[in-house]
Amino acid sequence: GAQAVGMGKEALNVRAAAELFDKANDILGYDLLNLCIDGPKEKLNSTVISQPAIYVTSLAAVEVLRAREEGQSVINSVDVTCGLSLGEYTALAFAGAFSFEDGLKLVKLRGEAMQDASDAANSAMVSVIGLDSEKVQQLCDAANEDVDEKERVQIANFLCPGNYAVSGGVKGIEAVEAKAKSFKARMTVRLAVAGAFHTSFMQPAVSRLESALAATEIRSPRIPVISNVDAQPHSDPDTIKKILAQQVTSPVQWETTVTTLLGRGLEKSYELGPGKVIAGIIKRINKGASIENIGA
């Protein structure tokens, strides 16, 4: 949901960043930069488009950083990386686990497979703001008592204290929204995504992803990449393939990822790509954390 019309504009000023969009056009068969800059919003929000758009814009942001004075030395100094949901692919590409092109082909297929899985069932996602994870779980339990099994909801993104995303059937999500106030939630925000990502609703996407991953050359990352599934780094290419296939149906353990990094002495970080959601999350977990956003 980090996509926004106007993203990618900075890439026009940095040749290496603009070249990534040119390469993307050949792989995708449409003008991605044009869609990023001019929209329309409805098209950019479809997961088939937004996933390649965020992946390419985020790696273009790396090139924007590289073009800065001292930018290359900042990139050289990075000793760990991670990405939220789709961002895990960006992080793996940054860490050299696969090429830009191979990553984009995977992300294109991931978007298509997740869109098809979303089209097959009436599902959605909502952010619950102002509660701890235990309370959000209780809210999900209460909502699930009111709906059929196929409409059930679960926590899909553990983002930070006070911000957890819930995924499930539309009726279940509506029940969460209706009950949130009685659980003392500050508010709920529907997410601009196609369906119930990071739940069993995405199961139809898994086998397609597994086949594509099996045919992709993946190398050991040059620096640790923390996985969304278990908040651990993995260096074995086969394990990375397995984890990426599991990722679409597994909750995102982002809060654990960030607290682990901060606990291990993370001093300075950069959020690369559109929006400033990750910077906001890290500041929520640790007010004093140093993070700089670099968009493209």
Side-chain angles (χ1 to χ4, degrees):
Q3 70 280 355
V5 172
M7 70 193 222
K9 267 196 188 128
E10 290 283 314
L12 293 169
N13 306 320
V14 176
R15 178 187 274 181
E19 281 171 359
L20 291 181
F21 279 97
D22 291 340
K23 283 182 188 172
N25 295 350
D26 295 338
I27 290 167
L28 299 169
Y30 57 84
D31 189 336
L32 180 66
L33 186 56
N34 188 36
L35 266 175
C36 286
I37 293 175
D38 297 325
K41 185 177 150 195
E42 298 68 40
K43 200 165 180 186
L44 188 59
N45 278 350
S46 78
T47 202
V48 172
I49 308 282
S50 67
Q51 294 204 37
I54 294 168
Y55 172 84
V56 176
T57 305
S58 301
L59 289 168
V62 175
E63 298 310 321
V64 170
L65 171 58
R66 201 191 307 274
R68 277 188 186 181
E69 198 179 336
E70 301 295 316
Q72 185 61 56
S73 64
V74 167
I75 289 169
N76 294 346
S77 73
V78 172
D79 50 15
V80 63
T81 181
C82 50
L84 180 62
S85 188
L86 164 76
E88 191 165 330
Y89 287 78
T90 318
L92 285 161
F94 175 81
F98 42 68
S99 66
F100 167 79
E101 292 83 351
D102 283 348
L104 180 56
K105 286 171 191 167
L106 285 172
V107 163
K108 176 180 185 285
L109 178 122
R110 184 180 186 265
E112 290 163 356
M114 288 169 76
Q115 184 67 56
D116 290 346
S118 299
D119 291 344
N122 206 8
S123 65
M125 289 183 79
V126 65
S127 269
V128 180
I129 310 294
L131 298 179
D132 63 27
S133 57
E134 215 171 295
K135 269 276 187 289
V136 177
Q137 187 55 56
Q138 289 168 11
L139 172 57
C140 290
D141 294 343
N144 287 338
E145 282 172 19
D146 290 3
V147 296
D148 294 344
E149 197 167 334
K150 66 179 197 315
E151 296 282 353
R152 284 195 176 160
V153 295
Q154 67 181 72
I155 300 176
N157 291 352
F158 290 84
L159 296 173
C160 62
N163 188 349
Y164 299 94
V166 172
S167 268
V170 167
K171 285 198 167 69
I173 293 293
E174 285 168 353
V176 167
E177 289 167 335
K179 292 174 187 291
K181 277 279 183 280
S182 66
F183 277 81
K184 306 280 192 292
R186 210 168 79 231
M187 61 175 173
T188 58
V189 182
R190 273 284 178 114
L191 298 182
V193 295
F197 297 168
H198 301 292
T199 68
S200 55
F201 278 88
M202 291 295 115
Q203 194 58 44
V206 173
S207 56
R208 284 169 68 183
L209 253 179
E210 281 173 338
S211 313
L213 286 159
T216 303
E217 188 199 341
I218 293 188
R219 299 173 288 278
S220 278
R222 60 184 170 79
I223 53 174
V225 179
I226 312 288
S227 157
N228 286 186
V229 171
D230 59 4
Q232 297 292 324
H234 299 280
S235 57
D236 173 54
D238 288 334
T239 305
I240 292 169
K241 289 180 182 189
K242 213 176 290 171
I243 289 258
L244 287 177
Q246 282 173 15
Q247 195 226 45
V248 285
T249 56
S250 305
V252 174
Q253 301 296 342
W254 191 254
E255 186 178 349
T256 311
T257 298
V258 174
T259 49
T260 301
L261 288 173
L262 291 167
R264 288 188 184 177
L266 180 72
E267 285 174 7
K268 168 86 182 154
S269 44
Y270 294 83
E271 175 181 15
L272 293 145
K276 293 187 177 163
V277 171
I278 287 171
I281 289 170
I282 289 179
K283 293 281 191 193
R284 282 294 294 273
I285 293 171
N286 180 345
K287 271 198 189 74
S290 167
I291 179 160
E292 183 183 339
N293 175 274
I294 295 162

